[in-house]
Amino acid sequence: MLDKLHSTLVHQAPALFRLPIKLVPASAQKALMLETLKRVFREALDDGEFEFLENRWLEVHVRDIGFKSYISFDNDKLVVQQDIEAPDVRFSGNLNDLILIAARKEDPDTLFFQRRLLIEGDTELGLEVKNLMDSVDLDSLPTMLRQGLFSLAAFVQKGLQAPAPLNEAHYAHKI
């Protein structure tokens, strides 16, 4: 019973986040994204490893919650925008998959070949972004952020391993 509840919660969480994400002002989303990126990539920023993104745009799209953010690098600083015309490369995936990638519980290449992670546009730039993400030393993250990420990923992973909720299994057979 608890496993089914856990699984249902993990599978339904993106739908629950969709409305609150839309209600949060773009300026607050932008500020939160920028601060999170600064903390996660502190060492890479200090070492100048974001120069490859100068005058180029990365779109991060969390498909199932309808969130998009655009990241670039200008004057030795990360830049985050909520909307631009044409990103150079786009990373898109569902919330649960992106959480697992961030915590290194899933391999991005595996999800890419399963079409659960999409990388579109400038493939060379996409590879540089992926390599930068892989180079992050998770142990260097602030303790609260690291522990929160690992706990969330473990919760998601366990929920995805449990049998799919009844309504999802029912719809999967209809397709």
Side-chain angles (χ1 to χ4, degrees):
M1 176 75 170
L2 286 179
D3 285 342
K4 283 188 179 185
L5 180 62
H6 184 170
S7 179
T8 299
L9 183 58
V10 168
H11 283 90
Q12 297 301 319
L16 298 174
F17 283 113
R18 201 172 296 127
L19 180 60
I21 291 292
K22 288 181 181 186
L23 295 177
V24 173
S27 59
Q29 289 182 24
K30 180 178 165 181
L32 179 61
M33 181 70 144
L34 185 58
E35 282 307 309
T36 301
L37 290 169
K38 285 180 182 178
R39 287 177 184 250
V40 169
F41 293 104
R42 177 176 289 147
E43 287 180 21
L45 286 164
D46 290 345
D47 294 343
E49 293 180 27
F50 271 87
E51 289 177 359
F52 71 91
L53 205 51
E54 187 113 25
N55 299 316
R56 304 182 85 189
W57 288 97
L58 161 68
E59 176 186 306
V60 176
H61 181 196
V62 187
R63 292 187 304 256
D64 54 353
I65 64 171
F67 175 81
K68 286 184 184 178
S69 193
Y70 301 86
I71 304 160
S72 187
F73 189 73
D74 188 36
N75 293 324
D76 296 324
K77 292 182 192 171
L78 280 174
V79 178
V80 174
Q81 293 294 333
Q82 289 306 110
D83 195 22
I84 65 161
E85 279 190 38
D88 296 284
V89 67
R90 173 181 296 121
F91 277 63
S92 64
N94 289 330
L95 180 63
N96 289 330
D97 289 334
L98 295 174
I99 290 168
L100 295 174
I101 289 170
R104 301 212 173 106
K105 299 283 186 189
E106 279 282 359
D107 177 45
D109 292 329
T110 301
L111 296 182
F112 175 78
F113 288 114
Q114 293 174 353
R115 305 292 290 163
R116 290 167 52 194
L117 173 66
L118 300 178
I119 303 171
E120 302 167 301
D122 183 333
T123 54
E124 184 177 324
L125 181 60
L127 185 58
E128 288 184 74
V129 170
K130 181 191 161 303
N131 289 340
L132 180 65
M133 290 170 34
D134 288 342
S135 73
V136 172
D137 178 10
L138 296 180
D139 291 332
S140 71
L141 295 178
T143 304
M144 236 172 80
L145 181 60
R146 183 180 66 249
Q147 289 175 343
L149 174 62
F150 289 156
S151 295
L152 181 59
F155 184 82
V156 167
Q157 190 173 42
K158 183 178 179 193
L160 292 175
Q161 290 172 349
L166 179 60
N167 62 345
E168 273 193 32
H170 175 73
Y171 292 125
H173 291 297
K174 294 240 179 207
I175 294 176

